Amino acid sequence: MTPGLNLALLLGAVVLLVAVGAVRLSTRLGVPSLLVYLALGVAIGESGLGIAFDDAELTRVLGFCALIVIIAEGGLTARWSTLRPVLGMAAALATVGVLVSVLAVGAVLHLLLGLDWRLALLYGAVLSSTDAAAVFATLRRLRLPPRLVATLEAESGMNDAPAVILVVLLSVGTTEGHPWWYEVLLVGYELGAGAAVGVAVGVAGRYALHRVALPSSGLYPIAVVGFTVLAYGAGAVLHASGFLAVYVAGVLLGNARLPHRQAILGFADGLAWLAQIGLFVLLGLLADPGRLPAAVLPAVVTGLALLLVARPLSVFVSALPFRFRLREQAFLSWAGLRGAVPIVLATIPLSERVPGADRLFDAVFVLVVLFTLLQAGTLAPAARRLGVTAPAELTEIRVETAPLERMRADLLQLEVPAGSRLAGVHVDELRLPVGASVTLVLRDGTGFVPGPDTRLRAGDSLLIVATVGARDEVERRLRAVSRRGRLARWFGEYGEDRDG
């Protein structure tokens, strides 16, 4: 047994290191790293190195474990001040939007491909969830208005729960013998109870970690991850949505300004990367390359139905009560990325031996590969064409420094793009609030400490230290100056987050 274990550890380490190195290569080539991980799984599978693996049930279990970590990291890094204004829209997308998407995809596939209603709706349910890992990894590289980023990230963190519920209901056939309103109440209970469990665990975690001094700083990240897993377990035991509980608990813990916060975020980020790598490689290992060519046509038809009908319709219906412009809705429609989550969800009917589940899994696998290549690479051009870019938006730099921890402050970076009204403004004319300061300017490859009379230029990169209490005001002020210049307030511009 030991030689087999040694060989497994060797192969696992090689795959992990290749996957880590592939992140840099995929960034340079503009190819999403998840596709590299899927390809690695296929390469070491039965058609490659000869490793036979077809355990859909084990894949589902490990996939759910990986999703817990990925969703927890998304919740921990979400800022409540940015999330709060879009919570209604994100919740609508994660509930009403999911239902509309399922019905739209199901109707198209029933009419065009002749699938029976149960299987057609199952396709729609499996593909109704946007992928947290794909959304987090892609959007954080783009300069977009915080409102759009927060909406998409919150949606991806919340819509796994209703998607899982619908897939399970359609797979195991528990709807027999119950009226439709019973199932609606069941879904409502699972979502409401899941949110309540997340709040309870998050509040308890904040209280405990603020008042219990752990003997080592390395224990705080472990404790935080433990609380998020606790949220999932408690929710599952109560027959509530564990995924929603994880996300809510993560948001509460991430906004609590816990001790060693940067170490916690760094640990969660690394753990999420490990979960993504393991999940995508495992899904690639489960796929059978010999069956995939036959799945191309149904995958393309399903993908077009999702991209051109279901997603735009779900966004439009969800946005009716909210003030989102058509250009914003168009970007939200295009940026609904699918990744590992739909493939994981496709293992549920596969493990339940639903008729047609093999073809469903293959079609979803091919769809994710094709449409990830199509969508992820076009998000930046689409944002520019729709006019929803925000090149002068602040981004947070995660560093572990004791002074920042004691000051309860964040280190922010701001680029001064060409055409921004920030160019030509003196540092003292930024009128940053108390608790914030421009500490360094990088210009033409040279860094220097600015003075009050330093005039900003296009192409400058600014490092700004801002305390927690001042950060939101700093973002609003810099957003206002980038739009209207030093006299922003005289023009009635206060830097509220909106599509410019």
Side-chain angles (χ1 to χ4, degrees):
M1 184 173 180
T2 302
L5 176 61
N6 293 338
L7 182 61
L9 290 174
L10 175 62
L11 181 60
V14 171
V15 171
L16 179 62
L17 292 175
V18 170
V20 171
V23 175
R24 182 173 180 83
L25 178 63
S26 65
T27 302
R28 286 184 173 181
L29 298 178
V31 177
S33 57
L34 71 89
L35 297 183
V36 179
Y37 306 151
L38 287 173
L40 277 174
V42 173
I44 66 176
E46 194 168 3
S47 300
L49 295 181
I51 298 177
F53 181 79
D54 59 357
D55 194 334
E57 178 63 29
L58 178 61
T59 303
R60 176 172 72 168
V61 172
L62 295 178
F64 275 34
C65 292
L67 290 178
I68 291 170
V69 175
I70 294 168
I71 293 172
E73 192 268 342
L76 289 170
T77 55
R79 289 178 56 225
W80 177 243
S81 60
T82 305
L83 184 62
R84 184 178 60 247
V86 301
L87 198 58
M89 177 62 174
L93 284 170
T95 52
V96 176
V98 164
L99 181 60
V100 170
S101 180
V102 171
L103 295 175
V105 170
V108 171
L109 296 187
H110 176 71
L111 293 174
L112 295 184
L113 298 183
L115 300 180
D116 66 82
W117 274 109
R118 179 191 179 191
L119 186 59
L121 291 174
L122 196 50
Y123 270 80
V126 165
L127 292 166
S128 64
S129 174
T130 55
D131 185 71
V135 169
F136 297 156
T138 303
L139 292 183
R140 291 176 186 179
R141 296 198 303 265
L142 303 178
R143 299 280 183 156
L144 297 169
R147 181 164 83 146
L148 289 183
V149 175
T151 300
L152 289 165
E153 290 192 355
E155 178 202 7
S156 66
M158 297 165 64
N159 64 10
D160 292 333
V164 169
I165 294 170
L166 291 175
V167 171
V168 170
L169 288 175
L170 289 167
S171 297
V172 302
T174 56
T175 58
E176 295 180 4
H178 298 299
W180 65 268
W181 54 264
Y182 174 86
E183 305 302 339
V184 173
L185 290 178
L186 178 63
V187 172
Y189 162 77
E190 293 197 21
L191 296 178
V197 169
V199 170
V201 173
V203 170
R206 292 170 64 162
Y207 180 86
L209 293 174
H210 272 303
R211 286 162 177 78
V212 177
L214 298 177
S216 172
S217 61
L219 293 175
Y220 283 91
I222 296 174
V224 169
V225 173
F227 275 112
T228 58
V229 177
L230 174 65
Y232 179 87
V237 168
L238 294 173
H239 301 286
S241 172
F243 288 122
L244 185 57
V246 168
Y247 186 74
V248 172
V251 170
L252 289 173
L253 290 168
N255 286 270
R257 307 304 299 191
L258 301 174
H260 307 287
R261 178 175 180 269
Q262 295 299 332
I264 291 170
L265 296 181
F267 179 80
D269 184 55
L271 203 58
W273 273 109
L274 181 62
Q276 290 179 48
I277 291 171
L279 174 57
F280 294 138
V281 171
L282 185 64
L283 292 172
L285 193 61
L286 183 64
D288 184 354
R291 298 203 316 254
L292 297 183
V296 172
L297 179 59
V300 170
V301 173
T302 306
L304 291 176
L306 181 68
L307 196 62
L308 302 180
V309 180
R311 177 65 180 178
L313 185 60
S314 64
V315 170
F316 176 76
V317 172
S318 301
L320 287 176
F322 306 99
R323 298 178 61 186
F324 275 78
R325 301 182 181 183
L326 287 178
R327 64 175 68 181
E328 293 177 308
Q329 293 183 38
F331 184 79
L332 290 173
S333 299
W334 190 253
L337 300 176
R338 268 64 182 176
V341 173
I343 307 178
V344 172
L345 294 183
T347 63
I348 297 177
L350 196 61
S351 62
E352 296 291 340
R353 302 186 183 279
V354 175
D358 288 342
R359 295 191 300 275
L360 185 153
F361 180 87
D362 295 340
V364 170
F365 189 94
V366 172
L367 184 152
V368 167
V369 172
L370 293 178
F371 283 82
T372 299
L373 281 171
L374 172 66
Q375 284 181 276
T378 58
L379 282 183
R384 288 193 294 269
R385 287 293 300 271
L386 293 169
V388 295
T389 57
E393 200 63 47
L394 283 167
T395 56
E396 181 176 351
I397 301 176
R398 296 182 192 170
V399 292
E400 176 64 20
T401 59
L404 287 178
E405 188 76 30
R406 290 196 298 269
M407 291 169 57
R408 292 171 56 82
D410 294 326
L411 183 61
L412 309 175
Q413 182 179 14
L414 175 69
E415 305 287 341
V416 181
S420 171
R421 300 295 294 273
L422 284 165
V425 174
H426 292 97
V427 168
D428 63 342
E429 293 174 325
L430 294 176
R431 301 186 186 281
L432 298 181
V434 175
S437 176
V438 180
T439 58
L440 190 71
V441 173
L442 182 64
R443 177 179 295 167
D444 299 327
T446 302
F448 62 92
V449 177
D453 58 345
T454 299
R455 186 188 296 271
L456 302 180
R457 300 180 186 173
D460 284 355
S461 180
L462 283 60
L463 289 183
I464 302 168
V465 174
T467 60
V468 176
R471 176 168 173 171
D472 288 340
E473 177 59 28
V474 169
E475 293 189 0
R476 285 193 294 269
R477 176 59 186 165
L478 292 176
R479 197 179 293 128
V481 176
S482 70
R483 292 172 182 164
R484 303 304 296 269
R486 57 176 63 87
L487 299 179
R489 289 183 179 174
W490 189 84
F491 286 110
E493 171 65 78
Y494 293 95
E496 297 301 325
D497 181 27
R498 58 175 174 80
D499 179 22

